[in-house]
Amino acid sequence: MKFDELGLRPDLLKAITKLGFETPMPIQEKAIPILLEGKRDFVGLAQTGTGKTAAFGLPLIQMVDPVQSHTQGVVLCPTRELCLQITDDLTKFSRHVQGLQIAAVYGGASIMNQIRQLKSGAQIIVATPGRLLDLIERRAAKLEQVSTIVLDEADEMLNMGFKEELDKILSRMPEKRVTWLFSATMDRGVARIAQNYQHDPVEVSLGGRNESAANIDHLCFMVHEKDRYQALKRILDFLPQIYGLVFCRTRAETQQVAEKLMQDGYQAESLHGELSQSQRDAVMRKFRNKNITILVATDVAARGLDVDDITHVIHFKLPDEIATYTHRSGRTARAGKSGVSIALINLHERRRISDLERRNNIKISLEKIPDGHAICENQLIALLNKVIDSPVNEEDIKEHLPAAYEALCHLDKKEIIKRFISVEFNHFLEYYRHAGDINVKPKFKEPGQGNQTQRPDNKKRRDKFEAYNTARFSINVGRQNQINAGAIVRLVCTHSGIPANQIGEINLGRDESTFEVSKDAAEAVKTSMNNVELDGRPIKVRSAGNSPRPPQGGRQGGPRGGRKGGPQGRRRY
Ligand code: AMP
């Protein structure tokens, strides 16, 4: 199928051609004709990188009347980065549309500039939910005549605790509008949004629900916990051309892994919530320019990250949530390319692999960590390819060549090759000379060999784990500071780098609140929440002890079951 068969206007087709898009990607082929009719609500289950921005962006632009200056379309998305990316894409798609104004509004930037921009008129607003709500309340964003609302990465917006804001925004939208919802996964929260705010939507899915992209190879390596970092290094050494993302679970771990990699000579840096916006932008610039080729990131910090050619995603540690694994993996294999998702696991995590396979309908094959010989061979081939592909600037080297010929004239061709390889290579050979095998030899059914039946006592053990493995903190803000649970989740995630799913029950008080995090994440919260401010107010987070829940209490009636004000109603660890 071609773009001009989808029903798009010539001015949009011209812009697409200029962008070099030749044929529509599957989600575009499926969604654009439906969305252009402008009548039906829509659910698109698609990962980031599948071309979904154009899938909703082109019809959205075509639906808008640029002669009218009022706001007609709104796109909601979870992060500032994604907000800017979508705005940039929409601006490119609409370069031949006269009079169309697109405004990006997001938190963490001057609200006054955004108010000014909205006052001067924007037919399309691209926004993060918190800031848009603020602007609606200040009467700067006027949405009474909006006819199309797009929820992009709906699952991520819920993960980031925007449930309350979404509910408020959607309930204030005109009844007569269409709602297009895009999400990588269809979990309960997203299904609830669809149920409450959509009417008989058309559902289009790339693959099954909660399914990963088909062009990703999923691998895992099993090592002892003590060898996890060694295993990472071996994988990186085995892949000299890697342009990859390494995911860690906490900010502290992210920093630690990135620092070790840098010390060990890798072109790596970390991306986590403690970086200021300008530091974050600098890291991203280096990554995009490929001055660094390995980015070590927390899940929260990597949200909205839109880099097209990532070759590998490495889960240094597996996330708790299936959806997070899908999101992480979806950072590779974008724009029709293929990619590899690699999980490092220890013996105790093997069952999680079966779970991921079953729930995502994928196959994760257990591979062996390459040995020193294989690594050295790959490095050598990469080096030789680099030599072969290096451009020779005859003019510039001409005057230096005689000295070089003279210095090497006593060596024949074979000797020169040997020495040249040794210069680049001795450190690798030396490092891997005595490198042993760090693969764990499993004595059980291996991951990647199909699903395993759960032992009957699993649920009991998991409940016990959930009940005891949490720590509670108090925080000196509450309802009187106009704080909701979502704001607490975002504050904690941004500063500690822990994923939102590590936060459990949140109890909002008048001027003090408490929240619960998994024990694994407690250290990161303790060490990173000093010197933090919220709206100019110093924030104090103190340990409030372990959660006093009895293990047999179950969910119903326990504090978790009876949780109020939590962004997702119920969280799992
Ligand atoms: P998205 O999922 O919207 O972030 O898109 C992922 C990448 O694919 C972006 O870099 C887009 O510019 C690119 N893209 C989108 N549609 C097409 C297309 N039809 N042909 C080629 N590239 C595309």
Side-chain angles (χ1 to χ4, degrees), residues 298-333:
T298 56
D299 291 303
V300 176
R303 282 192 181 133
L305 190 142
D306 61 304
V307 179
D308 274 351
D309 352 325
I310 288 171
T311 57
H312 294 75
V313 164
I314 301 181
H315 311 264
F316 183 72
K317 291 224 180 113
L318 279 177
D320 287 325
E321 296 280 332
I322 305 273
T324 310
Y325 177 88
T326 312
H327 272 291
R328 286 178 173 187
S329 306
R331 302 286 163 201
T332 181

mmCIF file of all heavy atoms in Angstrom, residues 298-333:
data_model
loop_
_atom_site.group_PDB
_atom_site.id
_atom_site.type_symbol
_atom_site.label_atom_id
_atom_site.label_comp_id
_atom_site.label_asym_id
_atom_site.label_seq_id
_atom_site.Cartn_x
_atom_site.Cartn_y
_atom_site.Cartn_z
ATOM 1 N N THR A 298 17.742 4.342 34.108
ATOM 2 C CA THR A 298 16.599 3.817 34.877
ATOM 3 C C THR A 298 15.387 3.837 33.952
ATOM 4 O O THR A 298 15.368 4.558 32.962
ATOM 5 C CB THR A 298 16.292 4.702 36.098
ATOM 6 O OG1 THR A 298 16.064 6.042 35.637
ATOM 7 C CG2 THR A 298 17.413 4.694 37.101
ATOM 8 N N ASP A 299 14.365 3.081 34.332
ATOM 9 C CA ASP A 299 13.160 3.037 33.488
ATOM 10 C C ASP A 299 12.534 4.410 33.370
ATOM 11 O O ASP A 299 12.115 4.821 32.299
ATOM 12 C CB ASP A 299 12.145 2.056 34.081
ATOM 13 C CG ASP A 299 12.638 0.638 33.951
ATOM 14 O OD1 ASP A 299 12.912 0.220 32.826
ATOM 15 O OD2 ASP A 299 12.789 -0.037 34.988
ATOM 16 N N VAL A 300 12.484 5.109 34.513
ATOM 17 C CA VAL A 300 11.813 6.409 34.496
ATOM 18 C C VAL A 300 12.566 7.377 33.589
ATOM 19 O O VAL A 300 11.965 8.046 32.752
ATOM 20 C CB VAL A 300 11.720 6.990 35.924
ATOM 21 C CG1 VAL A 300 11.112 8.378 35.891
ATOM 22 C CG2 VAL A 300 10.893 6.081 36.804
ATOM 23 N N ALA A 301 13.891 7.417 33.737
ATOM 24 C CA ALA A 301 14.670 8.392 32.964
ATOM 25 C C ALA A 301 14.618 8.095 31.466
ATOM 26 O O ALA A 301 14.727 8.999 30.657
ATOM 27 C CB ALA A 301 16.115 8.394 33.449
ATOM 28 N N ALA A 302 14.441 6.817 31.123
ATOM 29 C CA ALA A 302 14.472 6.469 29.695
ATOM 30 C C ALA A 302 13.116 6.664 29.016
ATOM 31 O O ALA A 302 12.985 6.442 27.825
ATOM 32 C CB ALA A 302 14.925 5.028 29.528
ATOM 33 N N ARG A 303 12.111 7.087 29.799
ATOM 34 C CA ARG A 303 10.792 7.281 29.181
ATOM 35 C C ARG A 303 10.851 8.374 28.138
ATOM 36 O O ARG A 303 11.486 9.393 28.337
ATOM 37 C CB ARG A 303 9.775 7.659 30.242
ATOM 38 C CG ARG A 303 9.374 6.431 30.974
ATOM 39 C CD ARG A 303 8.182 6.642 31.851
ATOM 40 N NE ARG A 303 7.942 5.369 32.485
ATOM 41 C CZ ARG A 303 7.722 5.198 33.762
ATOM 42 N NH1 ARG A 303 7.672 6.227 34.547
ATOM 43 N NH2 ARG A 303 7.530 4.005 34.243
ATOM 44 N N GLY A 304 10.181 8.156 27.060
ATOM 45 C CA GLY A 304 10.127 9.182 26.021
ATOM 46 C C GLY A 304 11.416 9.263 25.211
ATOM 47 O O GLY A 304 11.547 10.122 24.359
ATOM 48 N N LEU A 305 12.357 8.381 25.519
ATOM 49 C CA LEU A 305 13.625 8.412 24.778
ATOM 50 C C LEU A 305 13.373 7.902 23.357
ATOM 51 O O LEU A 305 12.825 6.835 23.160
ATOM 52 C CB LEU A 305 14.604 7.498 25.516
ATOM 53 C CG LEU A 305 16.048 7.512 25.109
ATOM 54 C CD1 LEU A 305 16.903 7.379 26.353
ATOM 55 C CD2 LEU A 305 16.357 6.388 24.179
ATOM 56 N N ASP A 306 13.709 8.715 22.392
ATOM 57 C CA ASP A 306 13.335 8.371 21.020
ATOM 58 C C ASP A 306 14.584 8.335 20.154
ATOM 59 O O ASP A 306 14.931 9.297 19.521
ATOM 60 C CB ASP A 306 12.382 9.435 20.482
ATOM 61 C CG ASP A 306 13.050 10.780 20.464
ATOM 62 O OD1 ASP A 306 13.507 11.196 21.520
ATOM 63 O OD2 ASP A 306 13.168 11.394 19.392
ATOM 64 N N VAL A 307 15.311 7.262 20.212
ATOM 65 C CA VAL A 307 16.501 7.133 19.368
ATOM 66 C C VAL A 307 16.236 5.930 18.470
ATOM 67 O O VAL A 307 15.831 4.878 18.956
ATOM 68 C CB VAL A 307 17.764 6.917 20.226
ATOM 69 C CG1 VAL A 307 18.987 6.752 19.359
ATOM 70 C CG2 VAL A 307 17.956 8.085 21.182
ATOM 71 N N ASP A 308 16.448 6.130 17.174
ATOM 72 C CA ASP A 308 15.975 5.105 16.237
ATOM 73 C C ASP A 308 16.854 3.877 16.079
ATOM 74 O O ASP A 308 16.366 2.797 15.879
ATOM 75 C CB ASP A 308 15.771 5.727 14.852
ATOM 76 C CG ASP A 308 14.394 6.344 14.740
ATOM 77 O OD1 ASP A 308 13.586 6.136 15.659
ATOM 78 O OD2 ASP A 308 14.139 7.022 13.740
ATOM 79 N N ASP A 309 18.195 4.049 16.147
ATOM 80 C CA ASP A 309 19.003 2.897 15.719
ATOM 81 C C ASP A 309 19.575 2.065 16.857
ATOM 82 O O ASP A 309 20.610 1.443 16.680
ATOM 83 C CB ASP A 309 20.178 3.323 14.803
ATOM 84 C CG ASP A 309 20.125 4.753 14.394
ATOM 85 O OD1 ASP A 309 18.995 5.172 14.229
ATOM 86 O OD2 ASP A 309 21.164 5.421 14.246
ATOM 87 N N ILE A 310 18.928 2.086 18.016
ATOM 88 C CA ILE A 310 19.464 1.276 19.122
ATOM 89 C C ILE A 310 19.472 -0.201 18.705
ATOM 90 O O ILE A 310 18.453 -0.733 18.273
ATOM 91 C CB ILE A 310 18.634 1.511 20.398
ATOM 92 C CG1 ILE A 310 18.953 2.902 20.918
ATOM 93 C CG2 ILE A 310 18.902 0.453 21.461
ATOM 94 C CD1 ILE A 310 18.086 3.390 22.028
ATOM 95 N N THR A 311 20.656 -0.817 18.833
ATOM 96 C CA THR A 311 20.786 -2.197 18.344
ATOM 97 C C THR A 311 20.420 -3.215 19.426
ATOM 98 O O THR A 311 19.902 -4.277 19.128
ATOM 99 C CB THR A 311 22.245 -2.476 17.897
ATOM 100 O OG1 THR A 311 23.115 -2.214 19.019
ATOM 101 C CG2 THR A 311 22.650 -1.603 16.720
ATOM 102 N N HIS A 312 20.738 -2.864 20.687
ATOM 103 C CA HIS A 312 20.516 -3.826 21.769
ATOM 104 C C HIS A 312 19.952 -3.126 23.004
ATOM 105 O O HIS A 312 20.390 -2.025 23.347
ATOM 106 C CB HIS A 312 21.834 -4.492 22.188
ATOM 107 C CG HIS A 312 22.425 -5.359 21.139
ATOM 108 N ND1 HIS A 312 23.058 -4.851 20.026
ATOM 109 C CD2 HIS A 312 22.469 -6.715 21.020
ATOM 110 C CE1 HIS A 312 23.469 -5.853 19.265
ATOM 111 N NE2 HIS A 312 23.129 -6.995 19.841
ATOM 112 N N VAL A 313 19.021 -3.807 23.652
ATOM 113 C CA VAL A 313 18.580 -3.370 24.977
ATOM 114 C C VAL A 313 19.044 -4.450 25.943
ATOM 115 O O VAL A 313 18.792 -5.634 25.713
ATOM 116 C CB VAL A 313 17.037 -3.244 25.023
ATOM 117 C CG1 VAL A 313 16.538 -3.182 26.451
ATOM 118 C CG2 VAL A 313 16.593 -2.015 24.240
ATOM 119 N N ILE A 314 19.766 -4.049 26.985
ATOM 120 C CA ILE A 314 20.234 -5.048 27.953
ATOM 121 C C ILE A 314 19.541 -4.792 29.290
ATOM 122 O O ILE A 314 19.586 -3.682 29.821
ATOM 123 C CB ILE A 314 21.768 -4.983 28.118
ATOM 124 C CG1 ILE A 314 22.430 -5.236 26.759
ATOM 125 C CG2 ILE A 314 22.245 -5.992 29.160
ATOM 126 C CD1 ILE A 314 23.945 -5.212 26.778
ATOM 127 N N HIS A 315 18.873 -5.807 29.807
ATOM 128 C CA HIS A 315 18.256 -5.689 31.128
ATOM 129 C C HIS A 315 19.320 -6.154 32.123
ATOM 130 O O HIS A 315 19.476 -7.356 32.326
ATOM 131 C CB HIS A 315 17.016 -6.571 31.242
ATOM 132 C CG HIS A 315 16.069 -6.408 30.083
ATOM 133 N ND1 HIS A 315 14.985 -5.578 30.129
ATOM 134 C CD2 HIS A 315 16.080 -6.954 28.837
ATOM 135 C CE1 HIS A 315 14.354 -5.623 28.962
ATOM 136 N NE2 HIS A 315 15.003 -6.451 28.170
ATOM 137 N N PHE A 316 20.063 -5.182 32.675
ATOM 138 C CA PHE A 316 21.081 -5.572 33.661
ATOM 139 C C PHE A 316 20.380 -6.305 34.803
ATOM 140 O O PHE A 316 20.865 -7.297 35.321
ATOM 141 C CB PHE A 316 21.806 -4.324 34.166
ATOM 142 C CG PHE A 316 22.921 -4.613 35.120
ATOM 143 C CD1 PHE A 316 24.099 -5.179 34.673
ATOM 144 C CD2 PHE A 316 22.802 -4.327 36.476
ATOM 145 C CE1 PHE A 316 25.138 -5.460 35.549
ATOM 146 C CE2 PHE A 316 23.827 -4.601 37.358
ATOM 147 C CZ PHE A 316 25.000 -5.179 36.886
ATOM 148 N N LYS A 317 19.224 -5.771 35.176
ATOM 149 C CA LYS A 317 18.329 -6.519 36.071
ATOM 150 C C LYS A 317 16.926 -6.465 35.486
ATOM 151 O O LYS A 317 16.511 -5.422 34.963
ATOM 152 C CB LYS A 317 18.318 -5.897 37.467
ATOM 153 C CG LYS A 317 19.607 -6.069 38.199
ATOM 154 C CD LYS A 317 19.393 -6.481 39.656
ATOM 155 C CE LYS A 317 20.717 -6.644 40.358
ATOM 156 N NZ LYS A 317 20.924 -5.639 41.404
ATOM 157 N N LEU A 318 16.210 -7.544 35.592
ATOM 158 C CA LEU A 318 14.850 -7.583 35.055
ATOM 159 C C LEU A 318 13.937 -6.647 35.837
ATOM 160 O O LEU A 318 14.094 -6.514 37.050
ATOM 161 C CB LEU A 318 14.293 -8.994 35.166
ATOM 162 C CG LEU A 318 14.694 -9.995 34.095
ATOM 163 C CD1 LEU A 318 14.087 -11.354 34.426
ATOM 164 C CD2 LEU A 318 14.248 -9.547 32.713
ATOM 165 N N PRO A 319 12.982 -6.019 35.162
ATOM 166 C CA PRO A 319 12.012 -5.207 35.908
ATOM 167 C C PRO A 319 10.958 -6.114 36.542
ATOM 168 O O PRO A 319 10.866 -7.282 36.185
ATOM 169 C CB PRO A 319 11.378 -4.358 34.805
ATOM 170 C CG PRO A 319 11.459 -5.218 33.583
ATOM 171 C CD PRO A 319 12.711 -6.051 33.723
ATOM 172 N N ASP A 320 10.181 -5.558 37.464
ATOM 173 C CA ASP A 320 9.126 -6.368 38.086
ATOM 174 C C ASP A 320 7.938 -6.573 37.167
ATOM 175 O O ASP A 320 7.312 -7.612 37.178
ATOM 176 C CB ASP A 320 8.625 -5.680 39.367
ATOM 177 C CG ASP A 320 9.651 -5.807 40.462
ATOM 178 O OD1 ASP A 320 10.307 -6.861 40.496
ATOM 179 O OD2 ASP A 320 9.807 -4.870 41.253
ATOM 180 N N GLU A 321 7.636 -5.534 36.409
ATOM 181 C CA GLU A 321 6.412 -5.577 35.609
ATOM 182 C C GLU A 321 6.684 -6.092 34.210
ATOM 183 O O GLU A 321 7.662 -5.698 33.577
ATOM 184 C CB GLU A 321 5.832 -4.164 35.489
ATOM 185 C CG GLU A 321 5.382 -3.562 36.792
ATOM 186 C CD GLU A 321 4.022 -4.075 37.219
ATOM 187 O OE1 GLU A 321 3.220 -4.444 36.348
ATOM 188 O OE2 GLU A 321 3.781 -4.101 38.432
ATOM 189 N N ILE A 322 5.783 -6.920 33.725
ATOM 190 C CA ILE A 322 5.870 -7.427 32.354
ATOM 191 C C ILE A 322 5.876 -6.241 31.383
ATOM 192 O O ILE A 322 6.655 -6.194 30.443
ATOM 193 C CB ILE A 322 4.634 -8.303 32.027
ATOM 194 C CG1 ILE A 322 4.485 -9.414 33.045
ATOM 195 C CG2 ILE A 322 4.666 -8.794 30.576
ATOM 196 C CD1 ILE A 322 5.210 -10.661 32.791
ATOM 197 N N ALA A 323 4.987 -5.276 31.650
ATOM 198 C CA ALA A 323 4.857 -4.145 30.723
ATOM 199 C C ALA A 323 6.170 -3.369 30.626
ATOM 200 O O ALA A 323 6.516 -2.857 29.563
ATOM 201 C CB ALA A 323 3.730 -3.228 31.169
ATOM 202 N N THR A 324 6.911 -3.295 31.739
ATOM 203 C CA THR A 324 8.183 -2.559 31.707
ATOM 204 C C THR A 324 9.188 -3.282 30.815
ATOM 205 O O THR A 324 9.950 -2.662 30.075
ATOM 206 C CB THR A 324 8.744 -2.393 33.138
ATOM 207 O OG1 THR A 324 7.714 -1.889 33.953
ATOM 208 C CG2 THR A 324 9.937 -1.462 33.173
ATOM 209 N N TYR A 325 9.174 -4.621 30.879
ATOM 210 C CA TYR A 325 10.066 -5.383 29.988
ATOM 211 C C TYR A 325 9.727 -5.060 28.533
ATOM 212 O O TYR A 325 10.606 -4.823 27.706
ATOM 213 C CB TYR A 325 9.916 -6.896 30.265
ATOM 214 C CG TYR A 325 10.752 -7.751 29.346
ATOM 215 C CD1 TYR A 325 12.071 -8.073 29.656
ATOM 216 C CD2 TYR A 325 10.231 -8.216 28.131
ATOM 217 C CE1 TYR A 325 12.850 -8.834 28.792
ATOM 218 C CE2 TYR A 325 10.996 -8.976 27.262
ATOM 219 C CZ TYR A 325 12.307 -9.291 27.607
ATOM 220 O OH TYR A 325 13.071 -10.038 26.746
ATOM 221 N N THR A 326 8.426 -5.016 28.244
ATOM 222 C CA THR A 326 7.989 -4.733 26.862
ATOM 223 C C THR A 326 8.436 -3.336 26.442
ATOM 224 O O THR A 326 8.936 -3.134 25.344
ATOM 225 C CB THR A 326 6.445 -4.829 26.782
ATOM 226 O OG1 THR A 326 6.047 -6.031 27.408
ATOM 227 C CG2 THR A 326 5.962 -4.819 25.352
ATOM 228 N N HIS A 327 8.257 -2.376 27.356
ATOM 229 C CA HIS A 327 8.655 -1.005 27.038
ATOM 230 C C HIS A 327 10.153 -0.902 26.809
ATOM 231 O O HIS A 327 10.607 -0.273 25.859
ATOM 232 C CB HIS A 327 8.297 -0.063 28.186
ATOM 233 C CG HIS A 327 6.918 0.467 28.050
ATOM 234 N ND1 HIS A 327 6.579 1.346 27.066
ATOM 235 C CD2 HIS A 327 5.795 0.231 28.745
ATOM 236 C CE1 HIS A 327 5.300 1.629 27.170
ATOM 237 N NE2 HIS A 327 4.798 0.966 28.174
ATOM 238 N N ARG A 328 10.908 -1.503 27.713
ATOM 239 C CA ARG A 328 12.368 -1.450 27.567
ATOM 240 C C ARG A 328 12.760 -2.037 26.217
ATOM 241 O O ARG A 328 13.510 -1.434 25.446
ATOM 242 C CB ARG A 328 13.030 -2.287 28.671
ATOM 243 C CG ARG A 328 13.017 -1.669 30.044
ATOM 244 C CD ARG A 328 13.679 -2.670 30.983
ATOM 245 N NE ARG A 328 13.887 -2.176 32.325
ATOM 246 C CZ ARG A 328 14.564 -2.843 33.241
ATOM 247 N NH1 ARG A 328 15.084 -4.026 32.974
ATOM 248 N NH2 ARG A 328 14.719 -2.340 34.442
ATOM 249 N N SER A 329 12.251 -3.238 25.939
ATOM 250 C CA SER A 329 12.654 -3.924 24.709
ATOM 251 C C SER A 329 12.254 -3.122 23.479
ATOM 252 O O SER A 329 12.954 -3.137 22.468
ATOM 253 C CB SER A 329 12.006 -5.317 24.629
ATOM 254 O OG SER A 329 12.307 -6.039 25.795
ATOM 255 N N GLY A 330 11.128 -2.410 23.597
ATOM 256 C CA GLY A 330 10.641 -1.630 22.457
ATOM 257 C C GLY A 330 11.506 -0.429 22.111
ATOM 258 O O GLY A 330 11.243 0.267 21.138
ATOM 259 N N ARG A 331 12.551 -0.184 22.890
ATOM 260 C CA ARG A 331 13.476 0.910 22.540
ATOM 261 C C ARG A 331 14.381 0.504 21.388
ATOM 262 O O ARG A 331 15.056 1.327 20.791
ATOM 263 C CB ARG A 331 14.352 1.307 23.734
ATOM 264 C CG ARG A 331 13.583 1.737 24.924
ATOM 265 C CD ARG A 331 12.994 3.103 24.728
ATOM 266 N NE ARG A 331 11.954 3.322 25.705
ATOM 267 C CZ ARG A 331 10.997 4.227 25.566
ATOM 268 N NH1 ARG A 331 10.953 4.970 24.501
ATOM 269 N NH2 ARG A 331 10.088 4.364 26.484
ATOM 270 N N THR A 332 14.439 -0.818 21.122
ATOM 271 C CA THR A 332 15.195 -1.242 19.955
ATOM 272 C C THR A 332 14.183 -1.656 18.881
ATOM 273 O O THR A 332 12.989 -1.596 19.102
ATOM 274 C CB THR A 332 16.164 -2.401 20.298
ATOM 275 O OG1 THR A 332 16.890 -2.746 19.123
ATOM 276 C CG2 THR A 332 15.462 -3.631 20.801
ATOM 277 N N ALA A 333 14.679 -2.024 17.702
ATOM 278 C CA ALA A 333 13.802 -2.462 16.607
ATOM 279 C C ALA A 333 12.769 -1.409 16.264
ATOM 280 O O ALA A 333 11.614 -1.705 16.046
ATOM 281 C CB ALA A 333 13.121 -3.781 16.973
#
